């Protein structure tokens, strides 16, 4: 309560309960200097009401781990602890910040459009790929969704409405800012900077992982799959969408593709090494490149136990034979 005993800190809490914001954006909305805003942020973080997250050279603020966070919005409104005129001004400036994000995203898309269109022209439309992904998933519950290499957040847009919670990870701060500008506020996605070789997530914390047109950038695809398997909960699933094997060296030279597609055998082998079962694969032919979709699952406890029992039985027989 002492941390909230200041109008500026109440305003900051109301803002970050709406959306994650960079420290500079918070200072802009509050119309305060960045050092002054940073002092208020430090007090909120020390109380566990907010937490900082580094993303490249930017620092973002989001609600912290304190159980009190859940009741703060209602408490502030019940106690009429903020001036409505001030709150209205904050909301207007927040809208301006979001509009500026959208303008930056549009500028980036315009600059990159030719490059992306070059690759899209080589295979069937993304609309057909996305329809095939949804068809493969059917009506199964998604639960906690992770999008590896989220880019502009398109997979979150596609699958997020069916998920209980959503997390997108990308190595590029620029791409995360684009996703933040583009995503529907209703999705409430957590966007994190991270490496697909070392995901900043706990073991078993996700129910579904999607890796859409990302694996071909990996120098060690098996490591990416192993990391995805690590963060999957038992009975969770991993979906990979990428290209079938091809020989377009220009994608390696001009678009930084480390791998020129993947065979079913390679994916099945990496899945098996990571403790996953390859349940299904589909090929979407058309154009110069064929798109492949692989869907695998992590065994649940009931599936793991018989395997362990068989191993013990074999071990016992070996000891008896010895």
């Amino acid at each position: 309560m002492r941390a909230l005993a200041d109008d500026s800190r109440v305003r900051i809490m109301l803002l970050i309960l709406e959306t994650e914001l960079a420290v500079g954006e918070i200072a802009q909305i509050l119309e305060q200097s960045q050092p002054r805003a940073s002092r208020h942020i430090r007090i909120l973080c020390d109380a566990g009401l907010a937490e900082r997250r580094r993303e490249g050279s930017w620092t973002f603020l989001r609600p912290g781990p304190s159980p009190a966070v859940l009741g703060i919005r209602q408490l502030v409104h019940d106690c009429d602890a903020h001036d409505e005129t001030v709150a209205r001004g904050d909301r207007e400036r927040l809208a301006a910040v979001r509009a500026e994000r959208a303008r930056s995203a549009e500028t980036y898309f315009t600059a990159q459009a030719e490059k992306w269109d070059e690759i899209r022209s080589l295979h069937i439309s993304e609309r057909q790929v996305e329809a095939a992904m949804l068809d493969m998933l059917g009506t199964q519950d998604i639960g906690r969704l992770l999008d590896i290499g989220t880019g502009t957040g398109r997979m979150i847009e596609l699958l997020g409405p069916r998920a209980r919670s959503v997390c997108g990870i990308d190595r590029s701060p620029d791409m995360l800012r684009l996703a933040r500008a583009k995503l529907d506020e209703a999705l409430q996605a957590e966007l994190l900077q991270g490496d697909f070789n070392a995901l900043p997530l706990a073991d078993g914390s996700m129910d579904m992982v999607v890796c859409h047109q990302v694996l071909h950038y990996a120098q060690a695809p098996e490591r990416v799959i192993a990391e995805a398997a690590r963060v999957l909960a038992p009975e969770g699933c991993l979906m990979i969408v990428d290209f079938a094997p091809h020989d377009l060296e220009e994608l390696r030279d001009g678009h930084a593709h480390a791998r020129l597609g993947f065979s079913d055998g390679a994916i099945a082998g990496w899945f098996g090494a990571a403790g996953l079962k390859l349940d299904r694969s589909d090929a979407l032919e058309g154009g110069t490149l064929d798109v492949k979709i692989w869907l695998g699952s992590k065994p649940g406890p009931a599936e793991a136990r018989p395997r362990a029992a068989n191993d013990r039985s074999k071990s016992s027989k070996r000891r008896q034979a010895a």
Side-chain angles (χ1 to χ4, degrees):
M1 295 306 294
R2 283 195 298 271
L4 288 174
D6 182 278
D7 243 13
S8 293
R9 294 196 284 276
V10 171
R11 292 165 65 191
I12 291 171
M13 285 305 304
L14 289 176
L15 288 168
I16 64 174
L17 285 168
E18 290 293 326
T19 188
E20 192 176 60
L21 288 166
V23 171
E25 292 173 334
I26 291 172
Q28 178 183 338
I29 293 168
L30 296 183
E31 296 183 312
Q32 295 179 3
S33 68
Q34 192 152 323
R36 183 180 174 190
S38 295
R39 187 177 73 80
H40 291 306
I41 288 169
R42 177 179 55 78
I43 293 171
L44 290 171
C45 290
D46 288 347
L49 298 176
E51 62 181 9
R52 303 179 189 88
R53 183 177 62 76
R54 293 284 298 179
E55 188 177 290
S57 60
W58 289 36
T59 300
F60 284 84
L61 196 71
R62 59 187 176 188
S66 170
V69 169
L70 296 175
I72 286 177
R73 187 197 299 271
Q74 191 62 49
L75 178 64
V76 168
H77 284 281
D78 287 349
C79 297
D80 194 24
H82 69 293
D83 181 87
E84 182 56 33
T85 302
V86 173
R88 185 164 53 249
D90 285 350
R91 287 194 294 271
E92 290 172 356
R93 286 185 289 275
L94 175 59
V97 164
R98 285 173 165 158
E100 179 55 35
R101 287 178 176 180
R103 279 193 295 271
S104 297
E106 186 60 34
T107 300
Y108 182 87
F109 290 142
T110 301
Q112 297 294 320
E114 185 176 345
K115 182 177 179 180
W116 290 342
D117 286 345
E118 181 184 344
I119 296 180
R120 289 194 190 102
S121 68
L122 298 174
H123 59 81
I124 66 171
S125 72
E126 287 296 328
R127 179 178 55 80
Q128 291 172 283
V129 174
E130 291 174 4
M133 292 171 65
L134 293 174
D135 181 66
M136 186 179 284
L137 286 175
T139 58
Q140 73 181 71
D141 179 41
I142 288 181
R144 299 164 296 177
L145 170 67
L146 169 64
D147 181 21
I148 295 178
T150 194
T152 62
R154 176 55 194 158
M155 290 300 101
I156 292 176
E157 286 184 310
L158 181 69
L159 302 174
R162 294 176 50 184
R164 189 167 72 248
S165 65
V166 182
C167 178
I169 290 179
D170 203 287
R171 190 172 184 175
S172 166
D174 292 332
M175 296 308 293
L176 290 172
R177 284 195 280 276
L178 291 174
R180 201 171 281 112
K182 184 170 176 280
L183 289 175
D184 187 333
E185 296 167 24
L187 288 173
Q188 290 293 305
E190 181 181 26
L191 299 174
L192 303 175
Q193 184 181 14
D195 188 337
F196 54 20
N197 294 302
L199 298 172
L201 297 169
D203 295 359
S205 57
M206 294 292 157
D207 299 306
M208 178 176 178
V209 177
V210 62
C211 190
H212 175 267
Q213 295 293 8
V214 170
L215 200 62
H216 55 246
Y217 291 112
Q219 296 293 336
E222 67 278 12
R223 189 182 306 168
V224 178
I225 290 173
E227 271 294 277
R230 177 184 67 78
V231 302
L232 271 179
E235 301 182 355
C237 66
L238 167 63
M239 174 176 278
I240 293 177
V241 182
D242 219 295
F243 298 125
H246 62 85
D247 57 3
L248 297 182
E249 283 291 339
E250 59 265 33
L251 294 185
R252 196 193 306 274
D253 299 332
H255 297 275
H257 288 204
R259 297 296 184 107
L260 299 183
F262 302 97
S263 67
D264 288 345
I267 294 292
W270 292 329
F271 272 40
L276 302 176
K277 179 177 64 173
L278 180 59
D279 298 316
R280 183 176 169 185
S281 67
D282 281 355
L284 306 177
E285 299 177 354
T288 306
L289 296 174
D290 292 342
V291 175
K292 294 282 296 187
I293 305 176
W294 296 276
L295 183 65
S297 59
K298 189 171 187 174
E303 296 174 88
R305 276 196 295 272
R307 197 158 37 240
N310 289 339
D311 289 344
R312 286 194 298 271
S313 175
K314 292 176 182 177
S315 176
S316 175
K317 288 178 181 177
R318 283 196 296 269
R319 285 198 299 272
Q320 290 172 5

